[in-house]
């Protein structure tokens, strides 16, 4: 199965099974990693914020304007910031690396 | 509907904590049984998550309503509740709940409003909506003196060098309202695009063009100053440079989050931040205190609006007994009961 590597807030790496068709947030939440995702993936809370590894940024579909607007409410946003609920995982993303953004 | 003057003791049948969809539908179910309701909510509007998190997004799983937006659902619930004249106490948090000697409850809000009622309904969702705070070390020390997440009194900002952070309606509205009072006002936002209403954005742009307001594109990375008095805010600009912007007041809008809040300490038997209830009447471990909607847990619970509606209907049956211990409740249909038609104002 395709893999996703998620670095948690303590810096530890976790290798997760990436279910094709799920959102990245769902994959992270299903693995019980600490992601709040308060709105359950509706692009309404910005609590599923992750940083995408530089090598992967361009391989993801660009964010829609909804997502950019919601990112305005996140903190410590960087050029590689994404809301993980808006990133759809596919087998083509095997090996995708992301880091959980700080919680607040 | 109206705000009742503060600090008056209000006596009623039911106090509902939370004016989300489930709290609103409770007004209707209680109303059919002749019970009067007062509702308390931290938000300055009704509708809970539907109104705050997804007013414009469609909902498809409300029975018999194939599709409606969050706000449409709330508006319709308000219409449905209207015949029963619910009273709303918004912008305040239910803080303290005690049982009185006569067996009723006394609930006090953060604004000092006091209610006495035989029944309390906790329809608190995932907790109170409260502003998200800046996750910066030492930020607490400034809060309330020079760092704010909401405006209580505009006068607080008179004559100050104020930074407003955010790009939504709250940030823009307050920047526009406060700039005449403040000595200087700088709006700080992550990017040069704003989510706020287009005419607020235009007004802001005009003020910036005329020099009456400053706009800085960047993100706050640090706060400078001694103890409670802020002297400057560190901002990383679009080019990645950190600049220090002098200011003695910061008003930050980073959206709202839900926080369980005071009800965590009411001894209601919480399990992973949810209230445990039985499923016959959705009563908590404390007789007379009911809990319904997203805040509760029981085997098989689904956090859906329709589940909350069902819970409200069942809960009101038992609540009636606390309000009218000597009366017998007769089961009736809204279709055919003239008594219910009278209550609904359609007779
Ligand atoms: C993006 C999104 C999409 C959704 N889509 C659907 C859907 O399609 N279908 C569906 O059935 N459900 C959906 N839901 C879930 C649905 O919104 C919730 O089940 C519903 O809002 C729960 O209603 P509630 O009244 O129990 O709580 P809430 O809506 O959370 O309202 C609770 C209210 O209580 C207030 N409160 C809490 N504590 C206090 C206190 N101490 N003092 C004062 N006020 C307090 C809060 O401020 C809040 O306004 C969705 C949720 C989200 C976030
Ligand atoms: S889970 Fe809320 S925006 Fe992604």
């Amino acid at each position: 199965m395709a893999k996703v590597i998620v670095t948690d807030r303590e810096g530890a790496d976790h290798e997760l099974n990436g279910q094709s068709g799920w959102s990245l947030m769902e994959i992270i939440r299903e693995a019980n990693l600490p992601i709040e995702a308060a709105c359950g993936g509706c692009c309404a809370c910005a609590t599923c914020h992750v940083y995408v590894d530089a090598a992967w940024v361009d391989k993801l579909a660009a964010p829609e304007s909804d997502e950019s607007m919601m990112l305005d409410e996140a903190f410590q946003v960087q050029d590689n910031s994404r809301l993980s609920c808006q990133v759809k995982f596919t087998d083509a993303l095997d090996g995708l690396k992301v880091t959980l953004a700080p919680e607040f | 509907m109206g705000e009742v003057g503060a600090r008056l003791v209000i006596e009623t049948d039911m106090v509902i904590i939370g004016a989300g969809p489930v709290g609103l539908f409770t007004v209707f179910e209680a109303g059919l049984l002749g019970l009067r309701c007062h509702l308390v909510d931290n938000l300055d509007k009704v509708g809970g998550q539907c109104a705050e998190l997804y007013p414009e997004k469609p909902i498809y799983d409300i029975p018999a309503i194939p599709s409606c937006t969050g706000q449409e659902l709330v508006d319709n619930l308000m219409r449905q509740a209207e015949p029963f004249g619910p009273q709303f106490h918004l912008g305040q948090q239910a803080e303290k709940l005690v049982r009185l000697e006569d067996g009723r409850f006394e609930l006090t809000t953060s604004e000092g409003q006091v209610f006495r009622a035989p029944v309390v309904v906790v329809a608190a969702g995932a907790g109170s909506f409260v502003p998200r705070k800046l996750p910066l070390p030492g930020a607490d020390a400034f809060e309330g003196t020079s760092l704010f997440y909401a405006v209580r009194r505009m006068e607080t900002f008179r004559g100050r060098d104020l930074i407003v952070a955010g790009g939504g309606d709250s940030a823009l509205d307050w920047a526009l309202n406060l700039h005449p009072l403040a000595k200087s006002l700088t709006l700080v936002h992550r990017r040069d695009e704003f989510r706020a209403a287009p005419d607020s954005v235009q007004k802001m742009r005009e003020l910036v063009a005329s020099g009456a307001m400053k706009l800085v594109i960047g993100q706050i990375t640090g706060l400078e100053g001694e103890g409670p008095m802020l002297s400057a805010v560190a901002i990383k600009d679009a080019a990645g440079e950190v600049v220090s912007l002098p200011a003695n007041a910061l008003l930050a809008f980073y959206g709202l989050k839900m926080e369980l809040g005071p009800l965590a300490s009411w001894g209601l038997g919480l399990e992973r931040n949810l209230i445990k209830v039985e499923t016959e009447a959705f009563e908590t471990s404390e007789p007379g205190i009911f809990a319904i909607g997203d805040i509760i847990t029981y085997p098989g619970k689904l956090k859906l609006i329709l589940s909350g509606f069902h819970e409200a209907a069942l809960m009101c049956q038992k609540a009636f007994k606390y309000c009218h211990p000597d009366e017998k409740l007769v089961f009736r249909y809204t279709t055919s009961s003239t008594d219910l038609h009278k209550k609904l104002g359609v007779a």
Side-chain angles (χ1 to χ4, degrees):
Chain A
M1 195 182 244
K3 301 286 179 201
V4 187
I5 318 290
V6 179
T7 309
D8 66 23
R9 298 187 187 93
E10 278 73 50
D13 283 347
H14 304 262
E15 190 182 281
L16 313 182
N17 285 329
Q19 187 83 43
S20 183
W22 285 24
S23 77
L24 183 56
M25 178 279 280
E26 289 167 330
I27 293 169
I28 298 171
R29 189 179 58 184
E30 189 65 17
N32 284 322
L33 290 179
I35 191 154
E36 188 185 332
C39 79
C42 294
C43 200
C45 74
T47 59
C48 61
H49 180 194
V50 297
Y51 302 121
V52 177
D53 186 83
W56 287 93
V57 171
D58 294 333
K59 299 194 176 116
L60 303 180
E64 307 265 336
S65 75
D66 258 25
E67 183 182 343
S68 303
M69 290 217 243
M70 212 54 232
L71 267 172
D72 286 345
E73 291 194 359
F75 202 69
Q76 293 169 13
V77 178
Q78 305 173 0
D79 291 341
N80 60 343
S81 284
R82 293 297 300 260
L83 294 179
S84 58
C85 71
Q86 300 302 303
V87 176
K88 184 133 172 217
F89 191 77
T90 62
D91 288 336
L93 297 177
D94 186 17
L96 173 65
K97 280 178 84 165
V98 302
T99 301
L100 301 182
E103 224 168 359
F104 83 109
Chain B
M1 225 159 333
E3 233 98 325
V4 181
R7 267 152 215 101
L8 210 80
V9 175
I10 295 174
E11 311 226 340
T12 184
D13 293 320
M14 249 188 219
V15 187
I16 303 172
I17 300 165
V22 177
L24 292 178
F25 190 63
T26 308
V27 172
F28 179 81
E29 287 294 329
L32 290 181
L33 308 185
L35 306 178
R36 297 253 146 208
C37 301
H38 283 255
L39 298 93
V40 179
D41 205 298
N42 233 39
L43 285 177
D44 56 7
K45 56 174 176 264
V46 300
Q49 295 176 44
C50 302
E52 180 57 36
L53 294 178
Y54 59 106
E56 273 142 39
K57 293 210 164 90
I59 310 176
Y60 298 106
D61 58 353
I62 305 298
I65 302 177
S67 160
C68 71
T69 65
Q71 191 58 47
E72 282 165 0
L73 182 80
V74 173
D75 292 345
N76 278 326
L77 285 166
M78 287 293 279
R79 267 183 46 212
Q80 204 168 15
E82 202 176 81
F84 305 112
Q87 304 275 306
F88 293 94
H89 307 267
L90 301 177
Q92 46 198 304
Q93 191 169 42
E95 268 185 358
K96 210 174 122 212
L97 181 64
V98 292
R99 196 187 275 277
L100 301 171
E101 266 178 25
D102 64 9
R104 291 184 305 162
F105 296 97
E106 184 173 282
L107 181 83
T108 311
T109 73
S110 52
E111 295 288 300
Q113 179 67 60
V114 177
F115 302 92
R116 292 196 186 127
V119 171
V120 172
V121 181
V122 185
S128 314
F129 278 101
V130 294
R132 239 170 235 289
K133 296 185 176 179
L134 280 173
L136 288 173
D140 292 2
F142 299 105
E143 203 180 319
T145 328
S146 48
L147 166 61
F148 305 87
Y149 299 104
V151 178
R152 288 237 171 258
R153 289 176 58 249
M154 284 175 57
E155 278 304 309
T156 311
F157 301 94
R158 184 179 292 280
R160 294 177 83 167
D161 292 307
L162 172 64
I163 293 179
V164 177
D169 281 310
S170 313
L172 274 272
D173 288 352
W174 283 118
L176 294 174
N177 281 321
L178 291 171
H179 102 272
L181 256 84
K183 184 159 151 230
S184 72
L185 193 145
T186 308
L187 182 66
V188 174
H189 183 45
R190 184 172 77 85
R191 42 184 204 136
D192 201 8
E193 255 177 79
F194 294 84
R195 196 164 22 102
D199 64 301
S200 314
V201 178
Q202 199 196 328
K203 278 195 202 127
M204 177 274 292
R205 299 243 185 243
E206 284 163 12
L207 288 169
V208 171
S210 75
M213 192 186 287
K214 260 178 54 179
L215 171 64
V216 172
I217 304 302
Q219 295 186 73
I220 296 179
T221 54
L223 305 175
E224 296 160 29
E226 288 290 312
M229 267 335 272
L230 193 68
S231 61
V233 173
I235 293 165
K236 188 159 96 182
D237 67 18
E241 285 303 286
V242 178
V243 293
S244 174
L245 207 66
N248 54 21
L250 169 61
L251 186 53
F253 295 103
Y254 286 95
L256 301 176
K257 63 169 180 174
M258 289 172 279
E259 191 175 272
L260 196 55
L263 54 94
S265 60
W266 292 350
L268 293 178
L270 295 183
E271 187 180 286
R272 278 183 285 118
N273 276 352
L274 297 167
I275 301 175
K276 274 209 298 202
V277 291
E278 43 74 27
T279 51
E280 202 177 312
F282 302 95
E283 200 164 16
T284 66
S285 54
E286 190 66 35
I289 303 182
F290 296 83
I292 52 179
D294 275 16
I295 190 80
I296 63 173
T297 179
Y298 55 81
K301 165 70 183 173
L302 283 180
K303 284 192 191 181
L304 286 177
I305 295 165
L306 78 90
S307 322
F309 289 171
H310 160 83
E311 291 151 12
L314 267 60
M315 176 239 115
C316 285
Q317 299 287 316
K318 179 131 187 218
F320 179 88
K321 295 191 181 138
Y322 287 106
C323 298
H324 303 288
D326 306 323
E327 281 177 44
K328 200 169 149 45
L329 190 58
V330 191
F331 178 80
R332 292 190 178 114
Y333 288 125
T334 57
T335 324
S336 47
S337 157
T338 46
D339 171 57
L340 294 186
H341 289 171
K342 249 187 253 148
K343 286 179 177 147
L344 285 163
V346 293

